[in-house]
Amino acid sequence: MDLNQRLHDLGAEKRQEALSDREQMERMKKAVQSKISHRMVNKRWMPMPVVLSLLLTCFGMWFILPSIHLDQKQLPSSTEAPTSEVSRLDTESPTLEKSKFLVLDQRFSFASDFVKWMQRYTDYEIKQVTDSPFANVFQSTDQAVLLETNKGTVHVVFFPNSGEAERVEIDEDFTVRGQITFTFTGTKLNEGAAPLHATGPTYQYSHNNLLILSSNSDFVTTFRSRFAEFDTYRSIFENFELNFSEYTYLNDLKLKKIKVTPEEIKQKPERAIFRLRSSWWANPRLKDNPFIPKVGDRTPGLFVRTGTYDDVLSIYAAADGTHHLFRLSWDHENWMWAPVEHKQKPGKTKQSSS
Amino acid sequence: MEEKSMLSPPVTLLAQTDTYAFEELMNTHMPDVYRLCCWLVKDPVAAEDLTQEVFLQAYKHIGSFRGESQLGTWLYRIAVNESKRYLRSWSFRKLLYFSPSHNAFESVTARHVPDREDESILVQLEQLVHALPFRHKQIIVLYYYEDLPAECIAEILNMKVGAVYTRLHRAREALKKKAVEVGKEWI
């Protein structure tokens, strides 16, 4: 009998002997529920100075930015490096109060599109962009950056060709305790570049020409879902024959951080955008609920036509593959965002439901 | 696992942190996650802690789960990562650390006195699997113990299907090498 068959037999034995203890499961469930309740109580007592700091930092960061457009066709490497100026990353609208600028050194200009995308489509705040040691590892590229964010650090390697990063795989060796080494397969490495050393496991995610590496697995989870969302949104725009580059994505997580009052909106109607949520359809004051989520439906994405505040689109892909588009408008009387138009079209590919 | 995921609460309800839906998620998947953690770390006490941590992570990140994979697959991914992290943590590596329950969970097959020659072989094989590096052990556990298809394993480990087969082959080769080292032979 060969090894493969032996392993199958062993697996069958293991599955037979693994019986769950009901009492034990109940105990674990209660422990989880207790920890969740404990965390929720602690969150309510966030010190006021921290809250104020967060509000000041986030104030106006995601308002309408007509000057920022991503290269929608091949995200996100930029091949047009400015020659004489430092790349400046705007994170505010000129109409709002002064906020922080992330100054990108000229030598990292290849990363500027990706950094902008990351700030727009994720809830990471990028504090610094510096050299990454991975710039000296791969033969086909020397473009790599280390991003320091509010939730840890992440390395991003930019390969010259789309799909190249997806052939790269990390191969780690944990056999010697305290001395983890790793190398890469699927692409040629510079001589002497490998093996590399790490203090813990390294998580990898590849998308088109991007290789993303971090010791924090959360980055992989987030980027995977965000890239998938981004691709879905783009395909919906194409399906409805809209120009993706004419719209700005509204990050729900960041909109939630900014509070506005009715008086502020009366004085500056454009601030109604901060009342917008991807769950706008759940407002009980809407007479007919236009959207009832089903298993497998994707979360709606919000977009506003750049340069405006009241031409808003809410788009999503349903579990059956249909693409939906709602055009929203601010209802001053009822103090809410309401749909004024709904379109739907079969999507080009059917997505699988979870 | 595929059948169970059909009964999982709707993702959108979970994203709204519906308490009942999350409890259903735990009812459906907790035994599987605990079993996987036990197989990976070989310590039922640690496996309990890890299982709880998996569901806490799931609760925390359910908002970012977009439904591109099944819920069970997503939970397994968290479980594998947490197990890997635990095995690399200082508390596990402390020289004097010894879980009183560790040997108790050297598996039933290990403690059980084998009646037949093939049972004895399975006991030895299990010990060899446990001695593998984590990257090989995880693939053996997912493919043979959990009996998952390669496509599912690819999603859990975030790799291509081809890479799963490659890693499986390497794991089997590593097992053979280990068997030779301890004086066993595989036909």
Side-chain angles (χ1 to χ4, degrees), chain A residues 110-334:
Chain A
F110 58 84
S112 62
D113 281 347
F114 173 76
V115 169
K116 289 175 196 173
W117 178 90
M118 190 170 155
Q119 289 195 305
R120 178 144 296 183
Y121 280 87
T122 73
D123 59 345
Y124 295 121
E125 291 169 25
I126 300 175
K127 297 176 182 175
Q128 200 175 11
V129 181
T130 55
D131 287 304
S132 166
F134 292 105
N136 302 319
V137 171
F138 302 97
Q139 269 191 20
S140 56
T141 181
D142 60 356
Q143 292 183 343
V145 291
L146 168 63
L147 305 176
E148 289 178 35
T149 76
N150 57 332
K151 295 188 183 178
T153 58
V154 59
H155 298 262
V156 185
V157 183
F158 298 82
F159 285 85
N161 301 311
S162 177
E164 204 170 333
E166 290 174 352
R167 291 194 290 273
V168 176
E169 280 188 27
I170 191 168
D171 191 8
E172 296 166 285
D173 186 354
F174 295 102
T175 45
V176 179
R177 284 181 180 180
Q179 294 177 33
I180 299 167
T181 60
F182 64 98
T183 184
F184 296 97
T185 57
T187 188
K188 287 184 182 172
L189 306 182
N190 289 329
E191 205 172 315
L196 297 106
H197 297 268
T199 54
T202 303
Y203 298 94
Q204 171 203 348
Y205 180 66
S206 300
H207 183 81
N208 285 340
N209 67 316
L210 294 177
L211 176 64
I212 295 164
L213 300 158
S214 177
S215 57
N216 184 346
S217 59
D218 286 351
F219 282 107
V220 172
T221 313
T222 301
F223 281 120
R224 193 166 184 227
S225 66
R226 290 298 172 182
F227 278 127
E229 264 183 11
F230 180 80
D231 289 341
T232 302
Y233 295 149
R234 225 176 13 174
S235 69
I236 295 175
F237 267 78
E238 279 171 19
N239 201 7
F240 287 105
E241 293 171 3
L242 293 169
N243 191 341
F244 194 56
S245 61
E246 288 178 1
Y247 287 83
T248 301
Y249 175 71
L250 296 170
N251 190 319
D252 214 27
L253 294 165
K254 293 183 176 172
L255 284 175
K256 281 178 187 172
K257 293 177 181 173
I258 301 171
K259 307 292 180 194
V260 287
T261 60
E263 290 69 34
E264 283 175 299
I265 294 181
K266 278 178 189 167
Q267 288 174 12
K268 291 185 179 178
E270 64 269 19
R271 294 185 69 74
I273 206 81
F274 296 116
R275 296 285 305 175
L276 189 53
R277 300 287 183 269
S278 59
S279 57
W280 58 267
W281 45 268
N283 192 327
R285 286 181 288 155
L286 279 172
K287 286 178 187 174
D288 301 311
N289 194 331
F291 167 54
I292 298 171
K294 297 180 187 56
V295 175
D297 286 353
R298 299 292 177 103
T299 306
L302 291 171
F303 291 82
V304 63
R305 187 185 288 274
T306 310
T308 72
Y309 75 93
D310 57 357
D311 184 357
V312 172
L313 301 179
S314 172
I315 59 172
Y316 76 99
D320 62 359
T322 308
H323 288 169
H324 293 260
L325 181 146
F326 288 92
R327 204 171 285 278
L328 306 178
S329 185
W330 176 248
D331 184 341
H332 288 279
E333 275 187 37
N334 294 307

Side-chain angles (χ1 to χ4, degrees), chain A residues 1-4 6-15 17-18 20 24-29 31-33 35-36 39-40 166-167 169-175 177-178 180 201 203-205 215-218 220-221 224-226 228-229 281 293-295 297-299 352-354, chain B residues 10-12 16 22-23 26-27 30-31 34-35 39 42 48 51-53 55-57 59-61 64-70 74 77 81 84-85 88 93 107-109 118-119 121-122 125-126 129 133 135 140 143-147 155 158 160 163 167 170 172 175-176 186-187:
Chain A
M1 197 183 287
D2 69 353
L3 177 59
N4 186 50
R6 292 262 186 230
L7 284 167
H8 277 299
D9 291 343
L10 176 61
E13 285 259 354
K14 299 296 288 182
R15 285 191 298 278
E17 78 194 26
S20 60
Q24 185 187 29
M25 293 300 124
E26 285 300 318
R27 191 176 65 243
M28 285 198 285
K29 259 175 48 185
V32 170
Q33 285 159 349
K35 284 178 186 174
I36 289 171
R39 283 186 188 183
M40 283 173 68
E166 290 174 352
R167 291 194 290 273
E169 280 188 27
I170 191 168
D171 191 8
E172 296 166 285
D173 186 354
F174 295 102
T175 45
R177 284 181 180 180
I180 299 167
Y203 298 94
Q204 171 203 348
Y205 180 66
S215 57
N216 184 346
S217 59
D218 286 351
V220 172
T221 313
R224 193 166 184 227
S225 66
R226 290 298 172 182
E229 264 183 11
W281 45 268
K294 297 180 187 56
V295 175
D297 286 353
R298 299 292 177 103
T299 306
S352 57
S353 56
S354 57
Chain B
V11 173
T12 48
Q16 295 162 23
F22 188 72
E23 190 162 333
M26 287 200 284
N27 288 337
M30 189 169 269
Y34 174 69
R35 184 185 63 193
W39 284 339
K42 297 295 277 184
E48 266 200 41
T51 305
Q52 291 175 29
E53 186 58 29
F55 284 93
L56 284 171
Q57 295 275 348
Y59 185 89
K60 187 177 159 191
H61 294 293
S64 63
F65 178 67
R66 300 299 174 204
E68 64 270 33
S69 65
Q70 293 180 353
W74 184 59
R77 189 182 305 144
N81 288 336
K84 198 190 323 188
R85 198 177 296 187
R88 264 134 210 86
R93 290 178 185 176
S107 91
V108 172
T109 49
D118 51 354
E119 281 186 11
I121 290 174
L122 291 183
L125 181 56
E126 187 188 354
V129 168
R135 71 181 183 282
I140 295 282
Y143 189 75
Y144 291 103
Y145 291 21
E146 288 284 347
D147 202 25
E155 279 201 60
N158 194 26
K160 293 192 169 30
R167 187 90 49 106
R170 287 183 188 158
R172 286 193 290 261
L175 261 180
K176 286 181 188 171
W186 295 103
I187 300 170

